[in-house]
Amino acid sequence: MMRARDVMTTTVHTVAPETSIADIARLLVDRRIGAAPVVEATGRLVGIVSESDLMRRPEIGTERQRSWLMRFLSDPQALAEEYVKSEGPAAAAVMTRKVVTVGPDAPLDEVAGLMEDNRIKRVVVVDEGRVCGIVSRANFVQAIATHGAPPRVEAAASDAGDAALRDQLLDKIRRQPWSQGPAFNVLVSGGVAHLWGAVRNDEERQAMVVAAQTLPGIRAVEDHLAVVRWNFGA
């Protein structure tokens, strides 16, 4: 049974409640992510800001326009909440406060059910009160592409062995000074490391491949990385 920890993206870019809307937008674009958890200085998760939370903004002229009749018929409380969401200057004002979370050991079928029931694209993985990963729809697709091939005739590494190799490789890559770019993910199946996500240049891509190739226990490397060049931040 696959669990959240087996597929989650562990490079999680978070923002503080006071982070400005412009800085949040730049983060989402720069890191090629669809949402950022909002975390207090203590590490407590208090919300999440996604692309949908930034759609109705005066900066781009998309704030909701209502006729006088609709304003008259609308609930004043709802209108006030809508105004704060549209005009708020920082994460605390626009974030979605009801965050769907799971633990690292949550079965993937449970995670899928939560995403379907709540009509969301991602769930935040929390371990002992702290954000440790995110499972998105893309992670499910990555898992299918990685684990969906027919089993090989020869003996393959056990699920426990694959999980340990994944943890080791993620830790190895995260400790490198060149790996501070956008979110990436690693899945291991039968001792074969599958690299997913975006990198900033060909050199970073090759470095990730080499990191996987030189990890004891990895039999082969499948490179699914995409080189994405952008204009924001390093």
Side-chain angles (χ1 to χ4, degrees):
M1 180 187 296
M2 296 191 70
R3 302 183 182 277
R5 68 166 67 250
D6 298 321
V7 303
M8 68 185 186
T9 298
T10 58
T11 304
V12 183
H13 299 285
T14 63
V15 297
E18 62 271 17
T19 303
S20 71
I21 297 303
D23 284 343
I24 295 171
R26 280 191 287 267
L27 175 69
L28 299 186
V29 172
D30 185 21
R31 304 306 184 188
R32 294 182 63 82
I33 53 179
V38 183
V39 178
E40 291 182 334
T42 60
R44 186 172 71 94
L45 176 68
V46 294
I48 188 168
V49 178
S50 68
E51 295 164 325
S52 61
D53 293 315
L54 303 180
M55 289 180 59
R56 295 288 187 177
R57 296 293 304 179
E59 296 92 332
I60 54 175
T62 56
E63 65 270 43
R64 197 180 302 278
Q65 304 294 331
R66 297 183 183 275
S67 68
W68 69 269
L69 180 59
M70 287 302 299
R71 291 196 299 270
F72 176 77
L73 295 175
S74 297
D75 176 17
Q77 180 179 346
L79 291 176
E81 291 175 352
E82 182 181 292
Y83 176 81
V84 171
K85 189 90 167 177
S86 176
E87 302 285 340
V94 306
M95 68 185 184
T96 298
R97 297 178 182 275
K98 181 183 177 182
V99 186
V100 178
T101 65
V102 296
D105 292 320
L108 273 192
D109 62 339
E110 176 185 320
V111 178
L114 285 171
M115 293 170 70
E116 290 174 340
D117 293 343
N118 291 277
R119 298 183 179 181
I120 54 177
K121 296 181 179 180
R122 61 193 62 82
V123 297
V124 180
V125 184
V126 177
D127 187 17
E128 296 184 352
R130 293 187 176 272
V131 176
C132 64
I134 287 182
V135 177
S136 69
R137 295 176 180 178
N139 295 132
F140 281 87
V141 178
Q142 293 167 1
I144 293 171
T146 300
H147 298 279
R152 297 179 176 86
V153 175
E154 67 269 19
S158 67
D159 290 343
D162 286 341
L165 286 172
R166 178 176 188 261
D167 290 342
Q168 293 170 24
L169 182 52
L170 284 169
D171 181 64
K172 181 179 182 180
I173 293 174
R174 280 198 298 263
R175 287 188 283 105
Q176 305 306 316
W178 43 259
S179 68
Q180 304 305 310
F184 65 90
N185 198 18
V186 172
L187 296 177
V188 179
S189 176
V192 179
H194 294 256
L195 308 178
W196 300 92
V199 292
R200 294 168 290 191
N201 47 60
D202 290 318
E203 290 75 17
E204 187 174 293
R205 179 179 195 166
Q206 185 59 33
M208 290 188 67
V209 172
V210 169
Q213 289 173 331
T214 55
L215 182 70
I218 295 295
R219 299 192 302 107
V221 178
E222 294 288 339
D223 177 10
H224 311 284
L225 296 165
V227 177
V228 179
R229 295 176 174 84
W230 54 87
N231 298 321
F232 299 99

